[in-house]
Amino acid sequence: MKLFAITLMLLAVACSPMTARAQRSHKDLAALWRTATADELAEVLPARAPVLQERIETEATANSGITDTHGRVIAVTVLITAGYAAHGKYSQYLVAGAPVEFGASVALKPGAYLLGWTRDEAGLHVSFYEAANGNLIGSVEALPSNPPLRVVPVRLWPPVQRSILQIGRFVIPYELR
């Protein structure tokens, strides 16, 4: 029994620095990211987003994103889908310049993605798709923000402020990888 207790204590001591180091590492990573400028967003978000075989206009005034000290950008904008096949299925276009995870189930590699949502009892059911082929990656629930935020079409908050993707009055937490 003593051997078990000693082993357990050594394991706890050995894991404590790793946990603290991992927490510090996450905080350090978050500190590297800031809100992207309009010029930085214009460099990565196209005026006409490639969505499957179409090029759909984007709403430049809705551009939002973050960038890090290495020039990587994660950005999102609204698609103007009226008159396109994407109407009713996709609503936002997202470019990930670094790995990012939304909610607990959607992990994105660097690339271009589409977001579509439907309203449900809890909030929004948001689905993530590959922009090139429309393949579904996964879905998460966006819940009403608490405390309430000013309603915007879409906004990606920097991790030092909130670590959320905001769609209207609903939010999805994200984590940089």
Side-chain angles (χ1 to χ4, degrees):
M1 194 62 156
K2 274 187 178 178
L3 182 60
F4 176 76
I6 291 171
T7 304
L8 192 60
M9 193 166 61
L10 287 173
L11 184 61
V13 169
C15 290
S16 293
M18 287 188 347
T19 304
R21 193 174 327 129
Q23 288 173 346
R24 253 192 328 271
S25 172
H26 179 69
K27 287 179 184 175
D28 293 342
L29 180 64
L32 298 175
W33 291 82
R34 63 169 172 77
T35 301
T37 66
D39 289 340
E40 290 167 329
L41 293 171
E43 286 182 31
V44 297
L45 290 171
R48 290 186 164 274
V51 175
L52 307 174
Q53 278 66 30
E54 299 177 310
R55 292 242 182 237
I56 299 178
E57 287 181 75
T58 60
E59 182 62 55
T61 58
N63 290 356
S64 179
I66 58 175
T67 187
D68 71 358
T69 56
H70 303 292
R72 297 179 299 178
V73 178
I74 301 173
V76 64
T77 193
V78 172
L79 291 169
I80 304 171
T81 59
Y84 291 96
H87 186 66
K89 184 169 185 180
Y90 310 121
S91 52
Q92 281 86 19
Y93 181 78
L94 184 137
V95 175
V100 60
E101 187 173 307
F102 290 94
S105 60
V106 176
L108 304 180
K109 299 175 188 172
Y113 301 93
L114 303 168
L115 282 66
W117 55 266
T118 55
R119 187 85 163 89
D120 60 24
E121 304 90 36
L124 300 179
H125 182 79
V126 181
S127 299
F128 291 75
Y129 305 86
E130 293 178 7
N133 55 29
N135 290 342
L136 177 66
I137 295 166
S139 301
V140 297
E141 283 293 316
L143 301 174
S145 64
N146 188 12
L149 298 170
R150 181 177 63 90
V151 175
V152 294
V154 66
R155 181 172 181 190
L156 187 65
W157 290 79
V160 294
Q161 290 180 325
R162 288 200 163 88
S163 286
I164 57 172
L165 170 64
Q166 180 184 353
I167 300 172
R169 64 183 183 95
F170 302 95
V171 297
I172 303 168
Y174 74 84
E175 199 171 311
L176 299 164
R177 297 287 176 201

